[in-house]
Amino acid sequence: MAAYYKFSGKFAPQGPLLGILAGAGVSIPAAFLYVYATVSIPEAKLRAICTLAFGALIGACSGFAMCWGKVRNKLVAATVGLAASLFGLYFSWFAWIMHLVQPSHWVFNLARPVMHPRSLWNTMLVVNGIGTWSSSSASTPEHGTFLWIVWIGEALLLVGTGTFAAFAIVQLRPFCERCEQWCSQKTKLFFAPSLPVDQFKTNLESQDVASLAKLAAGDPKQPHYRVDLHTCANCHSLNTLSLIQSFPKNHKTILNKLMIAPDQAAAIRNLALARSPRPI
């Protein structure tokens, strides 16, 4: 039966702490940029993209910090991403409220206001009853239930994106417990879609690495399969293989971190070296 890599679940106390500090730290300056963008951009779709970008930035910073702190626990990674994203959302709300009070200023010292969450809630209730924007120039500002729905949707989008980004960054690479380091050595191989994906998956799960040499090379700019090999650069004992299908409107991971033997990993690296373009 094919064996897949699984995280050990281990983490040091400084790992989550670094993740929260990094995510919360970047959210402070980013919150002002986020408020500036959401107030200045009239299109709803572009404002939603700004929300996605804000959440992704917080989650990515948390994720990279947790990688540096050697967090190998998916639940911890997602929880830290959630916490950092909630802080970013909370901070951005204060930045937005302060902008409503003083629209000519974009940067405020929010150290004191953020210590009073009840004041924020009371202000939100007032703003919700009045409204600050409308869907068209002729209509009254949106308020009440509809505005609550918009705010909740924005919060879910931001927090969900931040949580997923932190989780995704942490689980990108396997971690070698023997050497106490991430598998930093990566090899990529591209193959033309010359066989069914189920057959490709079966070949790899049966450890038939030699069959890769028989497949035609693929073009990264065209529909292709991609094989990613992660190897511990220190001991070369931990090797995982991932298979990604990249077709128009159909990009997905078929295999995720299938464990293979060192000699099979060496064969894949040799194949990648043989197919790499040679200098003229």
Side-chain angles (χ1 to χ4, degrees):
M1 184 176 180
Y4 287 86
Y5 170 83
K6 293 183 179 180
F7 279 109
S8 65
K10 297 178 180 179
F11 64 94
Q14 68 269 18
L17 179 61
L18 287 171
I20 291 176
L21 290 177
V26 76
S27 69
I28 293 175
F32 292 104
L33 296 176
Y34 174 59
V35 170
Y36 177 81
T38 54
V39 172
S40 304
I41 297 174
E43 293 83 1
K45 290 184 178 180
L46 292 180
R47 291 199 299 268
I49 292 175
C50 292
T51 303
L52 285 170
F54 184 38
L57 176 63
I58 295 173
C61 289
S62 291
F64 283 119
M66 283 188 284
C67 287
W68 190 62
K70 298 180 179 181
V71 172
R72 293 96 75 191
N73 188 300
K74 293 182 179 181
L75 179 60
V76 169
T79 302
V80 169
L82 174 65
S85 300
L86 286 173
F87 176 85
L89 176 67
Y90 179 71
F91 199 90
S92 68
W93 264 102
F94 272 105
W96 182 65
I97 293 298
M98 294 298 290
H99 166 70
L100 292 180
V101 177
Q102 293 180 295
S104 60
H105 295 79
W106 284 105
V107 179
F108 304 90
N109 183 0
L110 299 180
R112 292 183 64 183
V114 296
M115 301 302 293
H116 303 281
R118 188 167 183 175
S119 298
L120 173 63
W121 175 248
N122 292 332
T123 305
M124 288 175 63
L125 293 176
V126 174
V127 173
N128 180 265
I130 301 173
T132 60
W133 56 272
S134 60
S135 54
S136 64
S137 57
S139 62
T140 57
E142 303 293 350
H143 62 283
T145 303
F146 179 78
L147 189 54
W148 280 120
I149 293 174
V150 172
W151 286 349
I152 292 172
E154 175 194 17
L156 291 176
L157 185 62
L158 192 158
V159 173
T161 303
T163 303
F164 176 78
F167 174 84
I169 293 294
V170 168
Q171 63 91 43
L172 273 177
R173 299 175 296 171
F175 187 89
C176 181
E177 298 292 340
R178 175 191 296 182
C179 302
E180 285 286 314
Q181 67 179 30
W182 297 97
C183 294
S184 58
Q185 186 174 335
K186 184 176 181 180
T187 303
K188 290 185 179 181
L189 273 171
F190 298 92
F191 298 94
S194 55
L195 79 167
V197 65
D198 290 340
Q199 183 61 49
F200 204 155
K201 178 181 178 181
T202 300
N203 291 346
L204 293 179
E205 285 186 325
S206 61
Q207 307 291 309
D208 185 12
V209 173
S211 64
L212 294 177
K214 303 175 184 177
L215 300 178
D219 185 350
K221 298 180 181 179
Q222 300 295 328
H224 64 272
Y225 295 123
R226 191 182 82 232
V227 170
D228 291 344
L229 170 67
H230 282 98
T231 302
C232 175
N234 186 46
C235 68
H236 291 85
S237 296
L238 178 59
N239 301 274
T240 67
L241 206 61
S242 298
L243 174 63
I244 295 89
Q245 175 182 286
S246 184
F247 295 170
K249 300 181 180 180
N250 190 6
H251 183 93
K252 60 182 179 181
T253 299
I254 308 301
L255 290 177
N256 188 26
K257 300 183 181 68
L258 174 71
M259 297 184 69
I260 61 175
D263 58 333
Q264 294 172 321
I268 293 176
R269 286 192 292 271
N270 290 336
L271 179 59
L273 184 61
R275 291 190 175 184
S276 62
R278 299 178 182 277
I280 300 176

